[in-house]
Amino acid sequence: RSVHDLEPQSRRDQSAMLASFTRSIDIFSKRWIFIPIFQHTHYSLIAIANPGYIRNCFHDDDGSTLVQDRIRVNEIIPCIIHLDSLQRDQLHPPAEIYSLIMKWLNDEFSRRQDLPAHPFPQRPFIRQTTKFITPQVPQQPNSCDCGMYTLRYFYGF
């Protein structure tokens, strides 16, 4: 089989593949989660900060009301950072990556049977609660160094 055969074909397959790696890990207890993305023979990196802090985005009393207007400047909330050394080529379109990661986070949140009872919405990771950032990062000058750039981005954390 070639490496290309290992790329999942559907968004459901991609989410299921991510879930298979985190089945025995409580991702909501982690400060950072790093996910290398490999698609179209190109690597980029996703860094997810503070996924367990999703509760800061909802009222404490019933947990069902979004507090977008109440989130303080220093409040810790979830954030997804996409680091891509070929941003100009859009091999990993940010909107698609964001959608995939948000689906996975919500699926993981729903799947967690051992989480304490929570009154939050079933899919709490939405645009209003989870920032998505695509910072300007060093760009590769060729078509073959993406792996090295991805490792360097990871090292920067």
Side-chain angles (χ1 to χ4, degrees), residues 11-131:
R11 191 172 307 283
R12 192 184 66 148
D13 291 342
Q14 291 170 330
S15 184
M17 187 167 69
L18 278 172
S20 72
F21 289 110
T22 59
R23 196 170 320 263
S24 62
I25 299 169
D26 178 7
I27 66 166
F28 301 105
S29 68
K30 307 298 181 193
R31 175 140 165 88
W32 288 100
I33 299 170
F34 297 96
I35 304 171
I37 304 290
F38 179 75
Q39 188 175 30
H40 307 297
T41 67
H42 174 64
Y43 279 101
S44 65
L45 182 67
I46 290 291
I48 303 171
N50 310 307
Y53 283 86
I54 191 66
R55 66 184 170 273
N56 288 351
C57 299
F58 297 91
H59 283 296
D60 294 334
D61 52 356
D62 67 356
S64 62
T65 307
L66 184 64
V67 293
Q68 181 177 1
D69 57 329
R70 271 193 18 202
I71 296 174
R72 295 182 292 275
V73 173
N74 293 328
E75 191 86 56
I76 298 174
I77 62 171
C79 178
I80 300 170
I81 305 166
H82 183 212
L83 305 151
D84 189 353
S85 62
L86 278 179
Q87 288 173 336
R88 67 184 178 276
D89 292 346
Q90 293 286 305
L91 292 173
H92 298 167
E96 288 180 22
I97 298 296
Y98 182 68
S99 176
L100 170 66
I101 297 301
M102 294 291 274
K103 179 182 179 344
W104 172 70
L105 285 169
N106 281 311
D107 288 351
E108 283 292 297
F109 190 84
S110 295
R111 183 182 66 81
R112 295 297 302 192
Q113 300 294 330
D114 57 339
L115 284 177
H118 57 79
F120 304 119
Q122 189 173 5
R123 304 188 74 70
F125 291 93
I126 56 176
R127 291 193 187 282
Q128 294 89 340
T129 63
T130 309
K131 292 186 180 209

Side-chain angles (χ1 to χ4, degrees), residues 1-7:
R1 288 175 67 175
S2 75
V3 173
H4 304 292
D5 293 336
L6 299 177
E7 291 186 28

